[in-house]
Structure formats: structure tokens, C-alpha cells
Amino acid sequence: MALLLRLVLLCGVADFTSSLSITTPDQMIEKAKGETAYLPCKFTLSPEDQGPLDIEWLLSPADNQKVDQVIILYSGDKIYDDYYQDLKGRVHFTSSDLKSGDASINVTNLRLSDIGTYQCKVKKAPGVGNKKIQLTVLVKPSGIRCYVDGSEEIGNDFKLKCEPKEGSLPLQYEWQKLSNSQKLPTLWLPDMKSPVISVKNASTEYSGTYSCTVTNRVGSDQCQLRLNVVPPSNRAGTIAGAVVGILLALVLIGLIVFCCRKKRREEKYEKEVHHDIREDVPPPKSRASTARSYIGSNHSSLGSMSPSNMEGYAKTQYNQFKYAYKTDGITVV
């Protein structure tokens, strides 16, 4: 009896687990920034699955501090794709008929913030199923810059450098010579997979065009440089020319300063002369001398007057002197 009951339970469990199943396996997907990621989720139903179809996609961000977010939902024959603001307008179901068994989605214009674990949940009672997909967003190498660090002269040591502006690690480098014999110097071979080639005791045979290719798992980029190894320049002549140029500049500056100071002195002198009193103009008469002349003229006129007129004249003169005292400030003793 116990054995029969066990067989019945096993059969029931088998029927339940085989009702709804997601055929897409768990997987990891790598895509480049800016591209579109296709996240598959295909399922099959059985006759026992009679409930309404619900499909839900969730994102568990790479940052463990964030909780799972619903990014798109299908329920009641309607699609809701505005749950998660960071993916709004960038996540879509790939099938127009989700009841056909395809719940796959596309995530467009990928960003680094889209990295995380995506989970597809399908429910049609009594069946339930889910699958997880790990999405990694990488940055292609770009903005590669090739240049020579040092003086490209015979006998000198310098470096050839290859630097990408951006690109997800790990990065792989490969140097090639594109011109002349296209044969790389033997001493450079250890550095051909490196971002820097160290050149020792340079010679003219090193001259030519070189390329550097930078690659990672999602893309590659390339740059080129022209190396021209030349004889050493006349450094003594260059230094002498620089010294002469500096001296001439100092002389010119001195002349400008001298002229400016001379002009200022001349302007100052003209202002001083303009305010000085001219020596050939006689000084104005003082009020005291004017008063004396006035008194003298009146004394001379007294002698010609008769005694009968003296009294009236004296009163008149007193009033005039009083007025002169008040107006001119002259003190008469």
C-alpha cells in the first residue's frame, strides 16, 4: 500500500514539472557598449496550463546594494515597460505574440549600468518556470593614439607608445611595420605585444610607418605613426641662436622702457612750466599803497580850499576814510 502511494505521488510530481518549461538554458552574454543585447526566453505549455499567461523580467544589478527591479511585464494581454526608469524606452519583447511561447527581449543602446543578472519568469497556472541570464557590457577599444616619446635622432633612445582612450580590460596589443621591408628589428620582438616599444641606439633602418592594433573581447581599434630617424641636429648653433634672440628681446624691452620714462618726464615738465608765474609781468599793486596814494591826493587838494569850506570837506573825507577802512581793511592811525 505504501509503495502504491509513493508511485502515485511521483507521477503527480512528474506531470506538474513537465507542464510548463523554459527551454532556454542559463547563460552568460557579453556585448559592447552601445549595442543591442538579445536575451532569449522560450517556453512550452501543456494542456494542463489553463490559467492566464503572465511574463515578468527582473534585473538584479551588479551593485548588490540595489534590490531586484521589474523591467518589463506582460499580464492581462497588456505590456508594461515603464517600471524601471534606467531602461525606459530601451527594453522590448521581440515577439508580437507572446502566447506562442517566446518571451525573449531586446535591450538596446547598452550602458555600463545595464550589467547584471536578468531573470525571465513565466507563469500559466498551474505551471511556473524561470531562467537567468548574466549580461556583461564591455567597452570597445577606441581613441587609440600612437606617438614617439623622445627625439628621433641616430644613436638616441626613445619609445613608441600606443594608448587607447577607453576600452575594457583585458587589452591585447600588436605592432606591425607597414612600409619599407616590413621587417621588424629583432631587438623589438619582445615588445611587439606591448603598448610600449623601447628603442635603443636608433638607426635610419628603423624609419618607416608602424601600426598598433588594440583588441578586447568585443572589438578592436588601430592607429599609425611615422618614424623618421635623422642625423643629430646642430645643438650648439641652436643654443647660440636662442641666446642671441633673448638678448635682442632684452634690448628691445629696455628701449621701450627708456622711451616711456622719457615721455613721462617731458609731460611732467610741461605741466610745471604751465603753472609758474612769468617774470616779465609786474606784480599787482597792494591795497595799502593804493590807500596812501588816495590820502596824498586828498592832502594836496586841502591847500587850495577856503576856510569856509573846510568843515564840510572834513566830514566828507571822514566818511570816505571810514568806508575805505570797512571795504579795504586799511587801518588809519
Side-chain angles (χ1 to χ4, degrees):
M1 186 66 180
L3 181 60
L4 181 60
L5 181 59
R6 184 177 298 177
L7 290 173
V8 172
L9 290 174
L10 288 174
C11 290
V13 172
D15 288 341
F16 176 76
T17 56
S18 65
S19 58
L20 188 155
S21 65
I22 296 179
T23 58
T24 302
D26 293 343
Q27 55 187 294
M28 297 180 62
I29 297 176
E30 287 184 346
K31 284 290 183 178
K33 177 184 175 183
E35 292 184 346
T36 296
Y38 169 69
L39 308 183
C41 181
K42 295 185 178 181
F43 60 91
T44 59
L45 302 173
S46 68
E48 290 80 9
D49 301 324
Q50 297 297 323
L53 178 63
D54 292 330
I55 300 173
E56 184 181 56
W57 277 89
L58 296 96
L59 168 61
S60 301
D63 186 355
N64 293 328
Q65 295 180 355
K66 296 182 179 179
V67 298
D68 293 355
Q69 298 284 341
V70 176
I71 60 174
I72 192 168
L73 174 68
Y74 174 81
S75 180
D77 295 331
K78 291 184 179 181
I79 297 174
Y80 305 89
D81 57 2
D82 57 353
Y83 279 93
Y84 189 43
Q85 189 65 31
D86 289 354
L87 283 171
K88 187 176 182 180
R90 297 193 296 119
V91 58
H92 313 280
F93 285 110
T94 60
S95 175
S96 58
D97 184 12
L98 299 178
K99 295 179 180 179
S100 64
D102 189 357
S104 305
I105 61 172
N106 280 333
V107 180
T108 62
N109 191 21
L110 286 173
R111 305 172 184 172
L112 296 179
S113 59
D114 298 336
I115 297 174
T117 302
Y118 291 76
Q119 184 175 185
C120 174
K121 289 185 176 182
V122 181
K123 177 181 179 183
K124 189 171 176 64
V128 177
N130 68 83
K131 288 292 180 181
K132 292 182 179 181
I133 297 175
Q134 180 70 39
L135 175 64
T136 301
V137 180
L138 303 176
V139 179
K140 292 181 180 179
S142 64
I144 311 299
R145 176 174 174 246
C146 292
Y147 64 97
V148 180
D149 184 6
S151 178
E152 305 171 46
E153 296 181 354
I154 295 175
N156 278 5
D157 297 343
F158 52 83
K159 295 179 180 180
L160 308 183
K161 293 189 175 182
C162 178
E163 297 178 350
K165 185 177 181 180
E166 61 179 2
S168 298
L169 300 175
L171 297 173
Q172 297 178 349
Y173 297 82
E174 183 179 2
W175 288 88
Q176 290 182 333
K177 189 175 183 181
L178 305 178
S179 61
N180 299 341
S181 64
Q182 297 186 355
K183 183 178 179 181
L184 293 166
T186 305
L187 295 175
W188 295 11
L189 294 180
D191 294 334
M192 298 317 296
K193 302 295 183 181
S194 163
V196 179
I197 294 179
S198 298
V199 179
K200 304 291 184 182
N201 191 22
S203 65
T204 56
E205 66 180 15
Y206 294 168
S207 298
T209 302
Y210 295 83
S211 71
C212 173
T213 303
V214 184
T215 307
N216 65 7
R217 293 197 298 267
V218 292
S220 64
D221 197 10
Q222 186 184 82
C223 64
Q224 294 183 4
L225 66 82
R226 174 67 186 176
L227 178 62
N228 188 24
V229 181
V230 297
S233 59
N234 186 359
R235 297 182 180 177
T238 303
I239 295 173
V243 172
V244 172
I246 293 173
L247 291 176
L248 290 175
L250 292 175
V251 171
L252 180 60
I253 294 172
L255 288 174
I256 294 174
V257 173
F258 174 77
C259 292
C260 292
R261 295 185 64 181
K262 183 179 179 182
K263 186 175 181 181
R264 290 177 182 175
R265 285 198 299 268
E266 291 176 352
E267 292 176 350
K268 182 177 180 181
Y269 176 76
E270 290 178 358
K271 291 180 179 179
E272 292 176 353
V273 171
H274 179 73
H275 289 90
D276 287 346
I277 299 175
R278 292 176 56 186
E279 295 180 358
D280 57 346
V281 178
K285 294 181 178 181
S286 65
R287 293 178 178 178
S289 61
T290 303
R292 293 193 198 100
S293 299
Y294 177 80
I295 295 171
S297 62
N298 281 291
H299 275 283
S300 61
S301 60
L302 288 175
S304 60
M305 298 185 71
S306 60
S308 61
N309 296 330
M310 288 294 294
E311 182 179 355
Y313 177 79
K315 292 180 178 180
T316 302
Q317 295 302 315
Y318 173 78
N319 292 334
Q320 288 179 354
F321 275 107
K322 183 178 181 181
Y323 177 77
Y325 171 79
K326 290 180 179 181
T327 57
D328 293 334
I330 300 173
T331 305
V332 180
V333 181

